[in-house]
Amino acid sequence: MCVSTYSPLILHETCEGIQRFDVRDQMLADRQIELAGPIDASSVACAARCLLHLQKCDPQAPVTLFINSPGGEVQSGLALYDVMRAISCPVHTVCIGTAASMAALLFVAGDRRDMLPHSRVMIHDPLIGSMGGSALSVKARADDLMRIRDITAAVIAEHTGMTLNQVFQLTAQDTYFEAEAAVEAGLADRVIHEL
């Protein structure tokens, strides 16, 4: 399942004639979800609904989450992370392009983390939006940003085996890992050549 403006239709012949259905329906039936594009409230709501539905169908069977995203809203991403951790189904993440920023955090949180050979992961500190207003409101925003930085770094450290200091050093700037380097750094488990 994915959030996209276009999705191909599959034709399937049944005893009732030829039926058409969205390829995303087949993916969901195969326990596969796609997280493509920016992470926001809408994409997270779709992915969370799919995860919760699949858990209800079979609480033990694994789910595959394909990720190709530049990242996005931290709070939305953390909401999906919480759902991934709260369900009983193992969530297998596969990077099929780029898992950057918040998408990298979701990727590394997978119970098994695979990367295609030319995919990459990028981690960095949460970015600051527009800052304006009184000195107290700017300070409150800065304090909140540092709190979120600590939370996201702790999540990355927990799932990679890195220390917090290592994560902070890597996230001080945009740090890219090609597939093999991501495995070496503990951000991924393996590079795969077949899906």
Side-chain angles (χ1 to χ4, degrees), residues 51-63:
L51 288 170
L52 294 169
H53 168 74
L54 293 173
Q55 175 178 264
K56 185 176 180 184
C57 293
D58 186 340
Q60 302 307 317
V63 175

Side-chain angles (χ1 to χ4, degrees), residues 43-117:
S43 63
V44 164
C46 180
R49 278 193 304 269
C50 292
L51 288 170
L52 294 169
H53 168 74
L54 293 173
Q55 175 178 264
K56 185 176 180 184
C57 293
D58 186 340
Q60 302 307 317
V63 175
T64 301
L65 178 62
F66 294 99
I67 299 174
N68 186 18
S69 170
E73 299 170 2
V74 174
Q75 207 55 51
S76 293
L78 288 174
L80 184 55
Y81 171 78
D82 287 344
V83 172
M84 289 170 63
R85 304 315 299 162
I87 64 172
S88 57
C89 307
V91 179
H92 167 203
T93 54
V94 180
C95 181
I96 59 167
T98 301
S101 190
M102 182 49 62
L105 183 144
L106 294 171
F107 170 73
V108 303
D111 293 300
R112 190 176 85 209
R113 306 158 306 167
D114 293 337
M115 295 187 72
L116 292 177

